[in-house]
Amino acid sequence: MWRGDAARTANTSESLPEKLHLQWMRQYPPLKPAFWQIRQERLQFDLGYEPVVLGKTLFVGSSRNDSVTALDVETGAEKWRFYADGPVRLAPAAAAGQVWFGSDDGFFYCLDAESGALRWKVRGAPSPRKALGNGRLISVWPARGGAVVEGDRVYFAAGVWPFEGIFVHALEGRTGRSVWVNDRLGSLYAEHPHAAMSFGGPSPQGCLLLHRGRLVLPSSRSFPAFLDSQSGELVGFEFGHGTHGSQ
């Protein structure tokens, strides 16, 4: 898991050796973040490569060539590469012999960790409609709410424009069967930072995390949203002035 665990704590009980030695190196081309043309310090969720490791295999996604690549951790040799139909902007999640990730094509994928074979994929929104984004056609609902896994469930979010709809999913990790989906977050009515009442909602871009029964949904430059991880119901979200739910 990127940053260590489902809570993204970046903590580990492992200790590093006193002296580190370079074993191998792979050099990939620089990435172009979704917001690279604008000065957006708070929207650098996809600035660089974010590898994760499961057993003896390292997995790394790429928005440059729409892929997830598996490498042998001991030799750096490439084991396999899988291509989606859009940029892969966030770290995959890997556990129990499976790898999960979302793409700007609007789909969420599950691969076999050993072979890279596709086990299943689900569309994050109910329509295949596309739009022009970052110089290419992508889904109107890119899956930029990065995968997080806990137990037998995997969570992700699709959609970045609240007026088009935001879709947060909990799935069975092995089968892709839907446990719940919250499709009501794009039409919250509250006071916005400009002291005006309006509809809106979170814009999920970045890795989700889980903490004490809550699913935390990063929301671009706004505050994160909090959902109950068991039911998918909104617990709290703040636009800047107005709030929904209870923190």
PDB file of all heavy atoms in Angstrom, residues 164-181:
ATOM      1  N   GLU A 164     -21.307  17.223 -12.634  1.00  0.00           N
ATOM      2  CA  GLU A 164     -21.489  16.051 -13.484  1.00  0.00           C
ATOM      3  C   GLU A 164     -21.777  14.796 -12.665  1.00  0.00           C
ATOM      4  O   GLU A 164     -22.159  13.760 -13.211  1.00  0.00           O
ATOM      5  CB  GLU A 164     -20.246  15.810 -14.350  1.00  0.00           C
ATOM      6  CG  GLU A 164     -20.019  16.845 -15.431  1.00  0.00           C
ATOM      7  CD  GLU A 164     -20.955  16.654 -16.619  1.00  0.00           C
ATOM      8  OE1 GLU A 164     -21.837  15.783 -16.556  1.00  0.00           O
ATOM      9  OE2 GLU A 164     -20.797  17.399 -17.605  1.00  0.00           O
ATOM     10  N   GLY A 165     -21.552  14.874 -11.347  1.00  0.00           N
ATOM     11  CA  GLY A 165     -21.778  13.725 -10.479  1.00  0.00           C
ATOM     12  C   GLY A 165     -20.480  13.150  -9.942  1.00  0.00           C
ATOM     13  O   GLY A 165     -19.469  13.093 -10.656  1.00  0.00           O
ATOM     14  N   ILE A 166     -20.498  12.778  -8.676  1.00  0.00           N
ATOM     15  CA  ILE A 166     -19.365  12.144  -8.013  1.00  0.00           C
ATOM     16  C   ILE A 166     -19.806  10.761  -7.546  1.00  0.00           C
ATOM     17  O   ILE A 166     -20.877  10.620  -6.948  1.00  0.00           O
ATOM     18  CB  ILE A 166     -18.886  12.987  -6.805  1.00  0.00           C
ATOM     19  CG1 ILE A 166     -18.464  14.386  -7.273  1.00  0.00           C
ATOM     20  CG2 ILE A 166     -17.745  12.278  -6.074  1.00  0.00           C
ATOM     21  CD1 ILE A 166     -17.316  14.411  -8.248  1.00  0.00           C
ATOM     22  N   PHE A 167     -18.973   9.747  -7.807  1.00  0.00           N
ATOM     23  CA  PHE A 167     -19.344   8.367  -7.502  1.00  0.00           C
ATOM     24  C   PHE A 167     -18.249   7.728  -6.639  1.00  0.00           C
ATOM     25  O   PHE A 167     -17.114   7.580  -7.086  1.00  0.00           O
ATOM     26  CB  PHE A 167     -19.514   7.564  -8.792  1.00  0.00           C
ATOM     27  CG  PHE A 167     -20.590   8.100  -9.695  1.00  0.00           C
ATOM     28  CD1 PHE A 167     -20.315   9.145 -10.578  1.00  0.00           C
ATOM     29  CD2 PHE A 167     -21.865   7.586  -9.650  1.00  0.00           C
ATOM     30  CE1 PHE A 167     -21.290   9.659 -11.409  1.00  0.00           C
ATOM     31  CE2 PHE A 167     -22.870   8.093 -10.479  1.00  0.00           C
ATOM     32  CZ  PHE A 167     -22.577   9.134 -11.357  1.00  0.00           C
ATOM     33  N   VAL A 168     -18.609   7.375  -5.418  1.00  0.00           N
ATOM     34  CA  VAL A 168     -17.680   6.713  -4.504  1.00  0.00           C
ATOM     35  C   VAL A 168     -18.145   5.271  -4.329  1.00  0.00           C
ATOM     36  O   VAL A 168     -19.319   5.029  -4.036  1.00  0.00           O
ATOM     37  CB  VAL A 168     -17.621   7.430  -3.146  1.00  0.00           C
ATOM     38  CG1 VAL A 168     -16.555   6.784  -2.257  1.00  0.00           C
ATOM     39  CG2 VAL A 168     -17.326   8.913  -3.327  1.00  0.00           C
ATOM     40  N   HIS A 169     -17.208   4.335  -4.506  1.00  0.00           N
ATOM     41  CA  HIS A 169     -17.562   2.915  -4.539  1.00  0.00           C
ATOM     42  C   HIS A 169     -16.845   2.115  -3.457  1.00  0.00           C
ATOM     43  O   HIS A 169     -15.665   2.368  -3.170  1.00  0.00           O
ATOM     44  CB  HIS A 169     -17.169   2.304  -5.890  1.00  0.00           C
ATOM     45  CG  HIS A 169     -17.880   2.868  -7.065  1.00  0.00           C
ATOM     46  ND1 HIS A 169     -19.003   2.287  -7.608  1.00  0.00           N
ATOM     47  CD2 HIS A 169     -17.630   3.982  -7.808  1.00  0.00           C
ATOM     48  CE1 HIS A 169     -19.408   3.006  -8.648  1.00  0.00           C
ATOM     49  NE2 HIS A 169     -18.592   4.038  -8.792  1.00  0.00           N
ATOM     50  N   ALA A 170     -17.556   1.142  -2.916  1.00  0.00           N
ATOM     51  CA  ALA A 170     -16.957   0.057  -2.134  1.00  0.00           C
ATOM     52  C   ALA A 170     -17.263  -1.239  -2.876  1.00  0.00           C
ATOM     53  O   ALA A 170     -18.429  -1.521  -3.198  1.00  0.00           O
ATOM     54  CB  ALA A 170     -17.530   0.011  -0.723  1.00  0.00           C
ATOM     55  N   LEU A 171     -16.220  -2.006  -3.167  1.00  0.00           N
ATOM     56  CA  LEU A 171     -16.371  -3.246  -3.937  1.00  0.00           C
ATOM     57  C   LEU A 171     -15.772  -4.417  -3.185  1.00  0.00           C
ATOM     58  O   LEU A 171     -14.875  -4.247  -2.344  1.00  0.00           O
ATOM     59  CB  LEU A 171     -15.649  -3.131  -5.287  1.00  0.00           C
ATOM     60  CG  LEU A 171     -15.965  -1.937  -6.184  1.00  0.00           C
ATOM     61  CD1 LEU A 171     -15.036  -1.956  -7.395  1.00  0.00           C
ATOM     62  CD2 LEU A 171     -17.406  -1.948  -6.621  1.00  0.00           C
ATOM     63  N   GLU A 172     -16.256  -5.610  -3.497  1.00  0.00           N
ATOM     64  CA  GLU A 172     -15.564  -6.819  -3.058  1.00  0.00           C
ATOM     65  C   GLU A 172     -14.261  -6.908  -3.842  1.00  0.00           C
ATOM     66  O   GLU A 172     -14.269  -6.904  -5.074  1.00  0.00           O
ATOM     67  CB  GLU A 172     -16.409  -8.059  -3.314  1.00  0.00           C
ATOM     68  CG  GLU A 172     -17.590  -8.212  -2.378  1.00  0.00           C
ATOM     69  CD  GLU A 172     -18.323  -9.518  -2.590  1.00  0.00           C
ATOM     70  OE1 GLU A 172     -17.990 -10.228  -3.582  1.00  0.00           O
ATOM     71  OE2 GLU A 172     -19.211  -9.836  -1.797  1.00  0.00           O
ATOM     72  N   GLY A 173     -13.150  -6.977  -3.133  1.00  0.00           N
ATOM     73  CA  GLY A 173     -11.862  -6.929  -3.796  1.00  0.00           C
ATOM     74  C   GLY A 173     -11.620  -8.056  -4.775  1.00  0.00           C
ATOM     75  O   GLY A 173     -10.974  -7.868  -5.805  1.00  0.00           O
ATOM     76  N   ARG A 174     -12.137  -9.232  -4.471  1.00  0.00           N
ATOM     77  CA  ARG A 174     -11.851 -10.387  -5.321  1.00  0.00           C
ATOM     78  C   ARG A 174     -12.757 -10.464  -6.541  1.00  0.00           C
ATOM     79  O   ARG A 174     -12.323 -10.896  -7.614  1.00  0.00           O
ATOM     80  CB  ARG A 174     -11.971 -11.674  -4.501  1.00  0.00           C
ATOM     81  CG  ARG A 174     -11.512 -12.929  -5.236  1.00  0.00           C
ATOM     82  CD  ARG A 174     -11.249 -14.075  -4.272  1.00  0.00           C
ATOM     83  NE  ARG A 174     -10.141 -13.779  -3.384  1.00  0.00           N
ATOM     84  CZ  ARG A 174      -8.856 -13.925  -3.702  1.00  0.00           C
ATOM     85  NH1 ARG A 174      -8.518 -14.361  -4.910  1.00  0.00           N
ATOM     86  NH2 ARG A 174      -7.910 -13.634  -2.837  1.00  0.00           N
ATOM     87  N   THR A 175     -14.007 -10.035  -6.402  1.00  0.00           N
ATOM     88  CA  THR A 175     -14.975 -10.224  -7.485  1.00  0.00           C
ATOM     89  C   THR A 175     -15.357  -8.934  -8.197  1.00  0.00           C
ATOM     90  O   THR A 175     -15.868  -8.981  -9.319  1.00  0.00           O
ATOM     91  CB  THR A 175     -16.259 -10.864  -6.937  1.00  0.00           C
ATOM     92  OG1 THR A 175     -16.901  -9.926  -6.037  1.00  0.00           O
ATOM     93  CG2 THR A 175     -15.952 -12.157  -6.191  1.00  0.00           C
ATOM     94  N   GLY A 176     -15.159  -7.779  -7.544  1.00  0.00           N
ATOM     95  CA  GLY A 176     -15.610  -6.526  -8.117  1.00  0.00           C
ATOM     96  C   GLY A 176     -17.082  -6.244  -7.882  1.00  0.00           C
ATOM     97  O   GLY A 176     -17.613  -5.226  -8.347  1.00  0.00           O
ATOM     98  N   ARG A 177     -17.762  -7.119  -7.135  1.00  0.00           N
ATOM     99  CA  ARG A 177     -19.180  -6.905  -6.853  1.00  0.00           C
ATOM    100  C   ARG A 177     -19.363  -5.669  -5.979  1.00  0.00           C
ATOM    101  O   ARG A 177     -18.607  -5.448  -5.037  1.00  0.00           O
ATOM    102  CB  ARG A 177     -19.770  -8.127  -6.144  1.00  0.00           C
ATOM    103  CG  ARG A 177     -21.289  -8.049  -5.947  1.00  0.00           C
ATOM    104  CD  ARG A 177     -21.809  -9.223  -5.153  1.00  0.00           C
ATOM    105  NE  ARG A 177     -21.386  -9.125  -3.758  1.00  0.00           N
ATOM    106  CZ  ARG A 177     -22.037  -8.408  -2.824  1.00  0.00           C
ATOM    107  NH1 ARG A 177     -23.109  -7.708  -3.147  1.00  0.00           N
ATOM    108  NH2 ARG A 177     -21.597  -8.402  -1.582  1.00  0.00           N
ATOM    109  N   SER A 178     -20.381  -4.882  -6.291  1.00  0.00           N
ATOM    110  CA  SER A 178     -20.626  -3.647  -5.551  1.00  0.00           C
ATOM    111  C   SER A 178     -21.152  -3.944  -4.153  1.00  0.00           C
ATOM    112  O   SER A 178     -22.098  -4.735  -3.984  1.00  0.00           O
ATOM    113  CB  SER A 178     -21.623  -2.767  -6.304  1.00  0.00           C
ATOM    114  OG  SER A 178     -21.900  -1.580  -5.565  1.00  0.00           O
ATOM    115  N   VAL A 179     -20.546  -3.323  -3.153  1.00  0.00           N
ATOM    116  CA  VAL A 179     -21.036  -3.379  -1.778  1.00  0.00           C
ATOM    117  C   VAL A 179     -21.934  -2.176  -1.523  1.00  0.00           C
ATOM    118  O   VAL A 179     -23.031  -2.298  -1.002  1.00  0.00           O
ATOM    119  CB  VAL A 179     -19.869  -3.414  -0.771  1.00  0.00           C
ATOM    120  CG1 VAL A 179     -20.384  -3.411   0.663  1.00  0.00           C
ATOM    121  CG2 VAL A 179     -18.975  -4.622  -1.022  1.00  0.00           C
ATOM    122  N   TRP A 180     -21.461  -1.001  -1.901  1.00  0.00           N
ATOM    123  CA  TRP A 180     -22.286   0.208  -1.892  1.00  0.00           C
ATOM    124  C   TRP A 180     -21.688   1.233  -2.830  1.00  0.00           C
ATOM    125  O   TRP A 180     -20.515   1.152  -3.179  1.00  0.00           O
ATOM    126  CB  TRP A 180     -22.476   0.789  -0.488  1.00  0.00           C
ATOM    127  CG  TRP A 180     -21.236   1.135   0.302  1.00  0.00           C
ATOM    128  CD1 TRP A 180     -20.707   0.449   1.352  1.00  0.00           C
ATOM    129  CD2 TRP A 180     -20.363   2.278   0.116  1.00  0.00           C
ATOM    130  NE1 TRP A 180     -19.576   1.063   1.827  1.00  0.00           N
ATOM    131  CE2 TRP A 180     -19.347   2.194   1.104  1.00  0.00           C
ATOM    132  CE3 TRP A 180     -20.344   3.356  -0.762  1.00  0.00           C
ATOM    133  CZ2 TRP A 180     -18.324   3.146   1.213  1.00  0.00           C
ATOM    134  CZ3 TRP A 180     -19.331   4.301  -0.674  1.00  0.00           C
ATOM    135  CH2 TRP A 180     -18.336   4.190   0.314  1.00  0.00           C
ATOM    136  N   VAL A 181     -22.505   2.176  -3.239  1.00  0.00           N
ATOM    137  CA  VAL A 181     -22.034   3.309  -4.036  1.00  0.00           C
ATOM    138  C   VAL A 181     -22.762   4.559  -3.545  1.00  0.00           C
ATOM    139  O   VAL A 181     -23.969   4.531  -3.321  1.00  0.00           O
ATOM    140  CB  VAL A 181     -22.263   3.084  -5.548  1.00  0.00           C
ATOM    141  CG1 VAL A 181     -23.727   2.802  -5.861  1.00  0.00           C
ATOM    142  CG2 VAL A 181     -21.764   4.281  -6.352  1.00  0.00           C
TER     143      VAL A 181
END
